[in-house]
Amino acid sequence: MTASKSGTIFVLSSPSGAGKTTLTKKLEKNNTNFVISISHTTRKARPGEVNGKDYYFVNEQEFNSLVENNNFYEFAKIFGNYYGTLKKPVIKHLSEGKDVLFDIDWQGTQQLKKISNLSLVTFFIVPPNIEVLKKRLLNRHKGQESLIKPRMMKFHEELSHWKEYDYVVVNDDLEICYTKILKIITNTKNGINEKQDLSVIEKKVKELFS
Ligand code: ADP
Ligand code: 5GP
């Protein structure tokens, strides 16, 4: 019997509203070898979100107990709530040869990069411009406009972490962005590591900072 090859963790991070959750879900839906890592969070569920599917919604006491028992690969406080990724389900998926998609922030990515022996590829998603980002946030948080301002205010701080990632991809047209990410993932799985033209992406990031 041949041992199956273990999977890879693909991380998608971005400033809030740039589209990483949409892209992660699309990758999983269209590719049977991908599973999404379902995080634990202390934030309240948004309309339409399902416990155990989008997140495991827990209270702070439950979250703290998972931290104390060293159950998380990584965890972080974001917009006043805690988020974390359990080790156990990820290890199981990887050992079965599945690739695991992480929709997590830069703090979690920094923690994962410190863990040795993890097969890890990281993507940073950026919006085409700030106006589009605001529109997307307004659309996602209809009737809860108070949630937009803190996210817009955090934009530049979150954007400043782009250099810590293996690939930076602009999410303008969803299909184009999705196809780019899938191509990089497929190439990586086939042992082809194409380098990104940093000068192009650096110009884009500078525009977003201005
Ligand atoms: P994030 O997970 O990065 O915070 P989401 O995936 O929730 O962002 O996307 C924010 C909003 O923008 C959602 O309402 C989503 O449907 C929408 N969206 C994402 N990508 C695109 C795109 N390329 N074009 C138009 N709308 C998009
Ligand atoms: P939201 O509340 O909008 O779903 O997510 C807010 C932020 O938390 C996003 O940047 C998302 O990627 C991040 N996030 C979600 N789950 C985790 C996690 O398990 N760990 C970390 N570090 N960040 C997470």
Side-chain angles (χ1 to χ4, degrees):
M1 201 171 76
T2 46
S4 66
K5 200 171 176 301
S6 25
T8 301
I9 293 174
F10 293 97
V11 169
L12 275 76
S13 297
S14 76
S16 183
K20 63 193 166 305
T21 308
T22 307
L23 285 158
T24 310
K25 287 189 173 161
K26 195 170 163 69
L27 284 164
E28 190 201 37
K29 192 169 160 231
N30 297 343
N31 302 278
T32 50
N33 204 49
F34 292 148
V35 282
I36 294 179
S37 160
I38 304 167
S39 300
H40 280 63
T41 183
T42 59
R43 88 148 157 76
K44 296 272 173 287
R46 292 187 190 129
E49 284 185 330
V50 177
N51 187 34
K53 188 166 171 278
D54 298 285
Y55 282 105
Y56 293 102
F57 297 98
V58 292
N59 61 36
E60 265 193 45
Q61 201 182 346
E62 290 167 311
F63 195 94
N64 288 339
S65 144
L66 292 167
V67 172
E68 278 157 26
N69 288 312
N70 196 23
N71 290 144
F72 286 128
Y73 258 137
E74 60 74 36
F75 65 94
K77 191 176 189 184
I78 307 159
F79 299 119
N81 297 302
Y82 290 94
Y83 296 79
T85 309
L86 283 189
K87 290 178 196 167
K88 211 170 164 184
V90 175
I91 291 168
K92 183 171 180 288
H93 291 315
L94 293 175
S95 68
E96 289 167 351
K98 295 271 184 193
D99 297 315
V100 189
L101 304 170
F102 280 33
D103 169 345
I104 62 169
D105 82 330
W106 60 269
Q107 302 175 79
T109 308
Q110 283 187 350
Q111 292 168 48
L112 290 178
K113 283 170 76 178
K114 288 185 190 140
I115 303 172
S116 49
N117 301 325
L118 268 193
S119 172
L120 184 71
V121 177
T122 59
F123 291 91
F124 195 75
I125 314 298
V126 294
N129 57 56
I130 297 208
E131 291 73 31
V132 164
L133 180 76
K134 193 165 182 189
K135 267 193 204 145
R136 287 183 189 167
L137 285 169
L138 280 165
N139 189 35
R140 191 178 72 186
H141 296 288
K142 274 195 193 101
Q144 291 178 290
E145 280 71 20
S146 63
L147 296 177
I148 313 293
K149 205 173 167 196
R151 281 165 173 74
M152 290 304 291
M153 280 173 69
K154 269 245 170 170
F155 173 69
H156 285 124
E157 187 193 323
E158 291 185 312
L159 185 66
S160 70
H161 292 278
W162 70 277
K163 274 196 178 166
E164 295 161 22
Y165 286 76
D166 298 320
Y167 299 97
V168 180
V169 189
V170 181
N171 179 21
D172 190 352
D173 178 275
L174 186 65
E175 286 304 321
I176 293 175
C177 182
Y178 166 78
T179 306
K180 269 188 195 160
I181 295 172
L182 187 58
K183 188 173 167 222
I184 295 168
I185 291 179
T186 310
N187 282 346
T188 307
K189 295 297 290 179
N190 292 327
I192 306 163
N193 292 311
E194 31 164 28
K195 285 261 177 281
Q196 201 170 22
D197 183 350
L198 267 187
S199 61
V200 175
I201 206 68
E202 203 149 15
K203 194 166 163 266
K204 181 80 218 168
V205 176
K206 273 189 186 147
E207 272 171 36
L208 285 166
F209 266 117
S210 62

